[in-house]
Amino acid sequence: QVQLVESGGGLVQPGGSLKLSCAASGTIYIINAMGWYRQAPGKQRELVANITNGGSTNYADSVKGRFTVSRDNAKNTVDLQMNSLKPEDTAVYYCHVAMGGRFWARDYWGQGTQVTVSS
């Protein structure tokens, strides 16, 4: 059993910053990647950023240079530092953990946290 606990969502002004945090707890085996997805109203859920076990990061083109994903492998946490926020960043953000080995994989999701960028 794995639980992802998110924090840090809220309301921020355009150009402002916000930091999301996610902690995985429970039965933790191999975490291949941790990161964040988001879904805006009327939009498909999309990858925002993630970081692999080896430290490789992936970002949506729309957030490159503004968002930074980081991970503490020892603590099984992942953060998303969001800078220069834009109204179009408004969405529900979901923590995601990809767990598995060579021949198996499981995905875990947080409950979602609302990020609203508005003046």
Side-chain angles (χ1 to χ4, degrees), residues 50-102:
N50 69 1
I51 182 167
T52 69
N53 185 275
S56 178
T57 57
N58 301 283
Y59 294 93
D61 289 341
S62 60
V63 308
K64 287 181 179 178
R66 300 188 297 119
F67 291 10
T68 302
V69 64
S70 60
R71 175 183 176 184
D72 187 328
N73 291 340
K75 296 182 178 180
N76 295 318
T77 60
V78 61
D79 295 339
L80 183 67
Q81 179 64 51
M82 303 183 292
N83 299 325
S84 302
L85 283 161
K86 305 175 181 179
E88 49 264 45
D89 294 318
T90 296
V92 177
Y93 285 69
Y94 298 90
C95 181
H96 171 256
V97 169
M99 188 181 303
R102 176 65 176 83

Side-chain angles (χ1 to χ4, degrees), residues 106-117:
R106 292 181 182 178
D107 295 294
Y108 299 91
W109 298 90
Q111 76 283 358
T113 183
Q114 178 70 47
V115 172
T116 302
V117 184

